[in-house]
Amino acid sequence: MLKVEHIGIAVRELSASVPLFEKLLNTSCYKTEAVESEQVATAFFKTGDTKIELLESSSAEGVIARFIDKKGEGIHHIAFEVADIEAEMKRLVSEGFVLLHEQPKRGADNKLVCFLHPKNTNGVLVELCMEMK
């Protein structure tokens, strides 16, 4: 794990949350992106070396909609940058962690991603991400 890449925050509406976070962080949203495979729309902010990703569900059945229905808006996951996502996935499985999918998937912000099951990480949804070449 190289560094914390971003913190993901589930929100009901990007249209309301983007201006709120622009004021809070005193910086503009630098990128929005839809990730159809995950049924989310995202908005990114950068402050110092840290990125914040806001996540809005694009479907009532999407994982973010279900998360908000169960827990409300708030921190959804923490993402760590890795140099080699497949090697890191293999290492973590050998250490007893459970992956939510067996192969990395295309995520937002030009990343390959994989999530660890929160039952093995003290209830925290952990995302691995690696810049796509």
Side-chain angles (χ1 to χ4, degrees), residues 1-6 49-50 78-89 91-92 111-112 126-133:
M1 309 263 182
L2 301 174
K3 67 175 185 173
V4 172
E5 208 284 332
H6 68 267
D49 291 334
T50 304
I78 186 165
F80 293 95
E81 181 179 339
V82 297
D84 182 336
I85 195 165
E86 291 180 0
E88 193 63 15
M89 290 167 68
R91 182 188 76 79
L92 290 167
K111 302 285 192 272
L112 284 176
V126 172
E127 178 183 16
L128 308 176
C129 50
M130 181 181 84
E131 188 82 24
M132 290 195 310
K133 310 255 188 277

Side-chain angles (χ1 to χ4, degrees), residues 1 82 84-105 112-116 127-129:
M1 309 263 182
V82 297
D84 182 336
I85 195 165
E86 291 180 0
E88 193 63 15
M89 290 167 68
K90 185 176 180 180
R91 182 188 76 79
L92 290 167
V93 167
S94 75
E95 294 286 352
F97 293 92
V98 175
L99 306 176
L100 291 183
H101 34 88
E102 293 181 21
Q103 298 296 321
K105 298 166 72 172
L112 284 176
V113 302
C114 177
F115 288 89
L116 303 177
E127 178 183 16
L128 308 176
C129 50

